[in-house]
Amino acid sequence: MLTVLMVLTLGLGIGASITTLTVLKLLSGDPLPTRSARLFTPVINPWAADSEGAVEQMPRWWGDMMSYTDAMSLLHARKAKRQAVTTLTKARIAPTKPGTYPFFGGGVLTTPDFFAMFDVPFAYGGGWSAQDGENRARVVVISSALNNRLFAGRDSVGKMLRVNDHEYRIIGVLKPWAPQPRFYALNFGDTYGDGDAVYLPLQSARANHMLPTNYSCWGPANTAHMETSPCAWVNLWVEFEHAADARAYKQFLKHYVQQQMALGRLHQPRVWLYSLTGFLDREQVVPSDLRLQTNLAFGFLLICIVNTVGLLLAKCLWRSREIGVRRAMGAMRRMIFAQYMVESAIVGITGGVLGLVFAELGLLAIRHQPASYAHLAHLDPSMFAATFAVALVASLIAGLLPAWRACVVVPAPQLKSI
């Protein structure tokens, strides 16, 4: 019964800690680990001097988005290795197959460097050129999921696709690609998901009156002319050859803002340049309460370890006569210590198996929650291994004191009591 209690205690603690740790790992992951150190997003304050959004200490009133004029001016300055302007839209996709109905999917309006900058993999074809973007070519890149749905996964390059009642020629099909979190979509309300369905040239889509899903205006706006309206509705991402180049770019950004202030377009001199990971921190992708929950779960695991120590000590005292007889027959202290540590390890591994069951149940409960990341809550191989690593370490720590207590049992009193 003591062994069952120990296994159950460790299993509960490990299950709770691994569940919260898995969710924390999911939300705090680096979406582009090979490039994140060289990816940055600039932010400038577009609001008027007398507006609420002009408060320099809180540059969040406009959602860290940028006006089209500023984004394109910085893009054409070409001060970085690669640059991409992005925004999201709701795309109404009309299949050409008879008997099928239109449906909505996520759409990305962007510029040509998007695919190379974010290392987007292609199954067929490729992205559009800068010339295509300037000429407002009606071309589109589609996701692998959309290609599977409409064309059964075959090479669909050259075929036509109707998006928002306009015909576009497919020039590329992606491999499965859905970075988590979707960093390029954070300012537009989409953090996690299965990826977007279509990728369109920004200027072509705007020429066909596609609207961004999110925008913030500081004056009278005309959605038909978003390019010239006083609204922030795009993001600019830049990639540098080396991370150290960010300092020079920030100086360029300051000079640009000063020039625009002299022209009367901008009114706030402060600028920001966030790295990809810094941007994720700023957008609070990992909620503070989740970190608190993780700390509480590991605190609960510590309590479980302490309880296991108590149960192991009780088991050790119950077996004092056995230990005394073994010592009298010549068993060395290190042999007694090793025996109890092995027993603790076996209890820990068994507790790890039970903890794995509890963790899966906890993640199953999370997957039924109304959260954007809920469907992603699964144990990956690294967390599977971490479950048993935590279980083994916890049990060995718990077994140290009881094993030492077993070593110092004096044989003579135990033999007299037999």
Side-chain angles (χ1 to χ4, degrees):
M1 287 302 298
L2 287 176
T3 302
V4 170
L5 285 173
M6 285 186 287
V7 170
L8 183 60
T9 302
L10 279 177
L12 285 171
I14 291 166
S17 57
I18 292 298
T19 299
T20 55
L21 188 62
T22 300
V23 177
L24 180 64
K25 179 176 179 288
L26 165 68
L27 298 188
S28 59
D30 187 341
L32 292 176
T34 60
R35 299 195 174 212
S36 59
R38 295 182 282 116
L39 289 175
F40 291 78
T41 181
V43 179
I44 60 180
N45 192 333
W47 288 67
D50 58 349
S51 67
E52 210 175 11
V55 181
E56 292 192 355
Q57 290 77 14
M58 298 179 63
R60 295 292 301 278
W61 294 93
W62 63 97
D64 286 346
M65 294 180 288
M66 191 177 290
S67 69
Y68 179 86
T69 300
D70 291 321
M72 297 307 288
S73 297
L74 295 172
L75 179 78
H76 291 140
R78 303 187 182 280
K79 294 294 183 179
K81 178 183 177 181
R82 295 189 182 100
Q83 303 163 107
V85 178
T86 63
T87 191
L88 299 190
T89 190
K90 281 292 182 184
R92 184 176 182 271
I93 301 168
T96 56
K97 187 177 179 180
T100 57
Y101 298 95
F103 57 91
F104 284 94
V108 179
L109 311 184
T110 186
T111 50
D113 281 352
F114 178 92
F115 305 102
M117 181 188 299
F118 298 146
D119 198 21
V120 183
F122 279 86
Y124 307 107
W128 57 87
S129 65
Q131 192 63 38
D132 288 336
E134 294 294 333
N135 293 340
R136 301 182 177 183
R138 290 190 176 182
V139 293
V140 63
V141 171
I142 65 174
S143 68
S144 62
L146 183 62
N147 190 56
N148 291 336
R149 181 172 180 175
L150 299 183
F151 304 104
R154 297 186 294 270
D155 185 356
S156 58
V157 172
K159 297 183 181 298
M160 302 303 292
L161 182 68
R162 193 168 184 82
V163 182
N164 286 22
D165 298 323
H166 293 279
E167 296 287 340
Y168 289 85
R169 179 172 54 87
I170 299 173
I171 61 169
V173 179
L174 301 184
K175 293 180 180 179
W177 185 74
Q180 305 296 337
R182 292 166 63 207
F183 57 93
Y184 61 88
L186 289 182
N187 288 336
F188 310 105
D190 291 333
T191 307
Y192 298 91
D194 298 327
D196 297 284
V198 293
Y199 300 78
L200 301 152
L202 175 63
Q203 291 165 310
S204 330
R206 282 296 303 141
N208 291 330
H209 309 294
M210 291 191 192
L211 293 176
T213 57
N214 188 24
Y215 55 90
S216 180
C217 300
W218 56 93
N222 184 348
T223 55
H225 301 284
M226 292 292 290
E227 291 79 1
T228 56
S229 293
C231 298
W233 55 280
V234 295
N235 275 147
L236 174 65
W237 287 91
V238 295
E239 179 188 1
F240 300 120
E241 192 73 41
H242 307 285
D245 297 338
R247 182 175 300 178
Y249 189 87
K250 191 169 184 179
Q251 285 299 121
F252 157 73
L253 200 61
K254 289 179 178 178
H255 293 155
Y256 170 80
V257 170
Q258 290 171 358
Q259 292 174 357
Q260 298 303 309
M261 289 178 65
L263 296 173
R265 282 195 62 255
L266 299 178
H267 306 278
Q268 301 298 325
R270 191 174 179 185
V271 299
W272 298 266
L273 185 62
Y274 296 105
S275 65
L276 175 55
T277 53
F279 179 68
L280 296 179
D281 290 339
R282 171 176 171 74
E283 296 296 321
Q284 297 179 345
V285 172
V286 182
S288 57
D289 59 345
L290 178 60
R291 298 186 187 277
L292 176 61
Q293 291 171 13
T294 305
N295 292 334
L296 289 175
F298 275 91
F300 177 64
L301 176 60
L302 180 60
I303 293 173
C304 293
I305 292 174
V306 172
N307 287 333
T308 304
V309 170
L311 293 171
L312 284 171
L313 281 172
K315 190 174 182 179
C316 173
L317 293 173
W318 180 68
R319 297 172 63 185
S320 295
R321 291 181 182 181
E322 175 194 328
I323 297 170
V325 171
R326 289 195 61 202
R327 289 294 313 281
M329 294 178 67
M332 301 177 66
R333 288 184 175 180
R334 60 182 176 82
M335 296 172 65
I336 301 295
F337 183 85
Q339 174 192 338
Y340 271 80
M341 291 303 291
V342 169
E343 290 181 3
S344 298
I346 293 173
V347 168
I349 292 174
T350 309
V353 174
L354 185 60
L356 193 63
V357 174
F358 285 136
E360 285 289 2
L361 291 175
L363 292 173
L364 178 63
I366 290 174
R367 288 196 292 272
H368 286 82
Q369 297 297 314
S372 59
Y373 59 83
H375 68 289
L376 301 171
H378 293 275
L379 276 177
D380 58 19
S382 63
M383 293 308 300
F384 182 86
T387 302
F388 291 99
V390 170
L392 186 59
V393 171
S395 62
L396 292 177
I397 292 174
L400 284 174
L401 180 59
W404 174 81
R405 179 67 182 79
C407 290
V408 298
V409 169
V410 180
Q414 307 303 326
L415 295 176
K416 289 179 181 180
S417 65
I418 297 175

